[in-house]
Amino acid sequence: EAGVTQSPTHLIKTRGQQATLRCSPISGHTSVYWYQQALGLGLQFLLWYDEGEERNRGNFPPRFSGRQFPNYSSELNVNALELEDSALYLCASNTGTAYGYTFGSGTRLTVV
Amino acid sequence: QKEVEQDPGPLSVPEGAIVSLNCTYSNSAFQYFMWYRQYSRKGPELLMYTYSSGNKEDGRFTAQVDKSSKYISLFIRDSQPSDSATYLCAMIAGNNRKLIWGLGTSLAVNP
């Protein structure tokens, strides 16, 4: 069984640009979650998508947005990039329970 | 005060030692408690989860939750060099799917 796949692995952007990160969940998983893992701050919840709808959102500005497609894959968009957006962005999926999240290996975003 | 506190370590032990990892929390609404392991350049991997108070054992790993003290633990018996990683605790309240994480404890098991 293929795990959660994320692309790209690494992304380097200039301050003010936009970044798009992609996630494919495990087959059969309908919920997708996005987390930011910044140095010294730990994992911070960004977004939860289920059945194509945004279900919950963490304490991040509106320039962090995303969507979930009919095949349950998901996209995270970060607009007007700032230096402090540099972090590992992790995607997770599950079948809709409150536990048992499977994570991908992440996208390392560097803003210069 | 952070909702979840975890000593970042680093923790260094000899192979075969018993390792104790701990987290404390302040939100009494937390119901699910999870331990993840994260190797360098990888995403977190779920080791164990526990609902409410009690103990749970899986092979060399034992998770304990004491809700009265707001304290959770992960014990690793007969530790191996392959256990060297960062261990993260995570908790969730209700069904909002918003995992709250500790900062992680870096563990090195020396052969």
Side-chain angles (χ1 to χ4, degrees):
Chain A
E1 177 186 78
V4 176
T5 57
Q6 292 187 244
S7 63
T9 306
H10 294 89
L11 192 56
I12 299 176
K13 292 286 187 178
T14 303
R15 189 170 51 182
Q17 285 187 318
Q18 180 199 37
T20 298
L21 289 64
R22 297 180 176 83
C23 172
S24 292
I26 289 174
S27 177
H29 287 190
T30 59
S31 283
V32 170
Y33 311 83
W34 287 95
Y35 283 84
Q36 182 196 67
Q37 188 174 29
L39 201 62
L41 295 178
L43 281 107
Q44 305 287 321
F45 172 79
L46 267 166
L47 290 158
W48 165 32
Y49 289 98
D50 184 63
E51 298 288 353
E53 299 286 330
E54 181 181 301
R55 303 294 185 182
N56 199 1
R57 181 182 182 86
N59 295 326
F60 282 85
R63 57 191 186 82
F64 287 84
S65 65
R67 54 181 171 167
Q68 186 178 33
F69 299 98
N71 66 354
Y72 302 112
S73 67
S74 177
E75 197 173 86
L76 174 69
N77 295 294
V78 188
N79 293 320
L81 284 165
E82 300 179 2
L83 296 178
E84 51 266 34
D85 296 333
S86 295
L88 180 67
Y89 288 83
L90 292 160
C91 173
S93 72
N94 70 0
T95 55
T97 59
Y99 56 89
Y101 303 80
T102 302
F103 282 83
S105 292
T107 293
R108 173 73 61 184
L109 174 64
T110 302
V111 183
V112 297
Chain B
Q1 182 191 12
K2 291 176 71 70
E3 279 191 280
V4 179
E5 301 278 0
Q6 184 177 9
D7 186 340
L11 188 61
S12 181
V13 301
E15 183 175 354
I18 296 174
V19 177
S20 172
L21 303 164
N22 311 292
C23 289
T24 59
Y25 63 94
S26 57
N27 187 349
S28 57
F30 286 139
Q31 295 176 295
Y32 287 95
F33 303 88
M34 286 153 267
W35 285 96
Y36 281 82
R37 177 174 62 195
Q38 186 173 23
Y39 292 112
S40 180
R41 303 184 186 280
K42 295 289 187 182
E45 168 195 3
L46 179 66
L47 283 174
M48 300 184 73
Y49 72 89
T50 309
Y51 177 70
S52 195
S53 282
N55 295 356
K56 191 171 184 178
E57 188 172 321
D58 184 1
R60 297 186 295 113
F61 298 91
T62 299
Q64 289 184 351
V65 175
D66 182 348
K67 291 194 75 176
S68 62
S69 302
K70 297 189 176 69
Y71 187 88
I72 70 169
S73 301
L74 178 71
F75 297 95
I76 307 174
R77 291 181 297 280
D78 187 25
S79 56
Q80 303 295 309
S82 57
D83 294 328
S84 298
T86 297
Y87 289 80
L88 301 123
C89 63
M91 310 175 189
I92 195 165
N95 199 28
N96 63 14
R97 311 297 178 87
K98 183 179 175 182
L99 282 173
I100 307 299
W101 297 79
L103 286 179
T105 299
S106 176
L107 170 67
V109 181
N110 305 303

